[in-house]
Amino acid sequence: MEGKLSYQLVKMPLVTPFETSFGRQLDRCALIFKLEADGITAYSESVTDTDPFYSYENNSTALEIIDRYLVPHLMKLPVPGEFMEQVAYVKGHNMAKAALEMLLWDYHARIKGMPLDRYLGKSKGKAEVGISLGMEPIETTISRISNALDTGYQRIKVKIKKGKELGILGAIRDRFPDINLTADANCDYSIKDIDLLKKIDRFNLQYLEQPLGHDDLIYHAKLAKSMSTPICLDESITDLEKAQKAFEIGSGEIINIKPGRVGGLTNSLSISEVVRENGGHCWVGGMLETGIGRAFNVAMASQVNVDYAGDTSPNSKYFKKDVVLNPFTMKDGYIEANSGVGIGVEVDTNALSGYKTAEGVIKVWKM
Ligand code: OSB
Ligand code: MG
């Protein structure tokens, strides 16, 4: 068994800057991993970026953890579930773990000759698509929404922050009274803001995403009981147990599943099971992934347990020129999962090289 794990760090300009409560992003700096073993080439992407603003991980910590602790467990090419058990002794660092776990999903799906969405379990073959819009002046947001609706998006999510919620949501509802609308605060509020947050009820959102602390469940439960708007958790759900606890104490009834945040697809699948057992809802989010990471998200978003429209927009929403030759396109508000084996993307190696800011070989092995 011979193998090689290498990475490329790419810096890709976004088509439109993306502003959330934690900052304005102009580029996506993605870590792309490549596994070559036994004649098979697999790819994955770490959802980390340069800064630890969404979570504590960033590209440097991911590389460090992979290099020092995770790669030894990749070398025997275990199935993803086994890999996750072997690396459980490393606390946290889910994004680093997910990068290798997803490499193994691509690798094993290729060995089986199956497209990833089918290898994962029960696929609908397609994913319902929504759009996540960064914070912009109100008029810009209104015109982006109008374009998105014309393009067929099934749900509109806008970013909000403290003091910048009632104005924007009111303007959107004045103009589009009936659309499927949600808002994502990325942890910008505290429980002291409960009276302000309750005012959001008047906008009839499908849900309010992650209003409170990134590791909070208790205050979300308190908030959920005092609002009519359902709460959706993103940052707070980092593993299966957190999802169970959230349902146990009523922190929210919807989960934004991001495979990177929860340590990969094994955990994403278990979380989606827990969601459905508890009568909740889930959808697949995104981290502005390149076409490589996006293919994993779309495969997950195509699973039958995923019942709400996600943030897995087509590649062209993010990049003028992506690093894959077969980008996703949206039709009637759906994206079809790739039908090729594994993640089914044709990696554009020239594009990757063009965007490359660093690269390295992490490990070469023979056993
Ligand atoms: O909170 O869902 C989020 C992007 C980066 C970090 C956090 C989030 C997001 C998005 C964009 O909302 C989702 C996407 O279109 O990839
Ligand atoms: Mg979010």
Side-chain angles (χ1 to χ4, degrees), residues 54 132 157 159 184-186 209-210 233-235 256 258 261 283 286 311:
Y54 167 82
S132 173
K157 155 172 147 184
K159 294 290 186 178
D184 185 359
N186 287 107
E209 182 174 341
Q210 194 72 33
L233 296 169
D234 174 350
E235 283 89 333
N256 167 351
K258 289 180 183 167
R261 187 195 67 229
W283 51 279
D311 282 347

Side-chain angles (χ1 to χ4, degrees), residues 69-289:
Y69 304 101
L70 305 182
V71 74
H73 301 282
L74 179 79
M75 287 158 54
K76 283 190 188 156
L77 307 170
V79 291
E82 263 173 51
F83 171 80
M84 287 308 286
E85 283 172 24
Q86 289 169 17
V87 300
Y89 75 103
V90 175
K91 305 296 183 293
H93 293 283
N94 283 343
M95 295 177 180
K97 289 173 181 173
L100 297 199
E101 195 254 13
M102 293 202 259
L103 258 187
L104 288 167
W105 277 106
D106 188 27
Y107 175 83
H108 285 285
R110 283 171 194 276
I111 294 230
K112 286 269 189 307
M114 284 170 81
L116 182 62
D117 70 309
R118 287 205 281 117
Y119 185 56
L120 280 177
K122 281 203 207 103
S123 175
K124 302 175 272 193
K126 60 182 184 177
E128 297 173 86
V129 186
I131 192 169
S132 173
L133 295 172
M135 285 185 286
E136 299 286 351
I138 290 179
E139 274 321 304
T140 311
T141 299
I142 296 287
S143 88
R144 294 244 160 98
I145 292 175
S146 169
N147 290 338
L149 295 169
D150 290 345
T151 319
Y153 282 102
Q154 299 198 31
R155 173 277 266 152
I156 306 290
K157 155 172 147 184
V158 292
K159 294 290 186 178
I160 57 169
K161 67 178 179 183
K162 198 169 158 181
K164 294 245 185 256
E165 66 295 276
L166 304 180
I168 184 79
L169 293 173
I172 296 170
R173 273 299 183 225
D174 283 347
R175 181 68 198 279
F176 309 102
D178 302 318
I179 60 168
N180 187 7
L181 180 67
T182 76
D184 185 359
N186 287 107
C187 318
D188 206 49
Y189 299 83
S190 83
I191 193 67
K192 292 194 196 109
D193 302 315
I194 195 159
D195 291 331
L196 172 58
L197 288 165
K198 279 157 82 168
K199 294 188 177 146
I200 290 177
D201 281 341
R202 68 174 76 137
F203 302 115
N204 193 24
L205 303 182
Q206 188 185 30
Y207 52 79
L208 171 63
E209 182 174 341
Q210 194 72 33
L212 307 177
H214 72 97
D215 56 356
D216 171 73
L217 290 177
I218 293 179
Y219 287 154
H220 276 102
K222 194 168 168 183
L223 178 66
K225 282 171 194 70
S226 55
M227 286 184 78
S228 60
T229 308
I231 300 295
C232 170
L233 296 169
D234 174 350
E235 283 89 333
S236 290
I237 306 299
T238 48
D239 56 38
L240 180 64
E241 203 174 289
K242 290 270 169 51
Q244 283 161 334
K245 286 177 178 169
F247 282 107
E248 217 168 293
I249 67 171
S251 314
E253 47 193 282
I254 299 148
I255 296 181
N256 167 351
I257 298 179
K258 289 180 183 167
R261 187 195 67 229
V262 303
L265 292 167
T266 309
N267 290 344
S268 298
L269 293 168
S270 343
I271 290 172
S272 75
E273 288 291 327
V274 161
V275 166
R276 302 321 298 274
E277 281 161 19
N278 284 279
H281 304 278
C282 61
W283 51 279
V284 175
M287 297 286 286
L288 314 177
E289 285 91 342

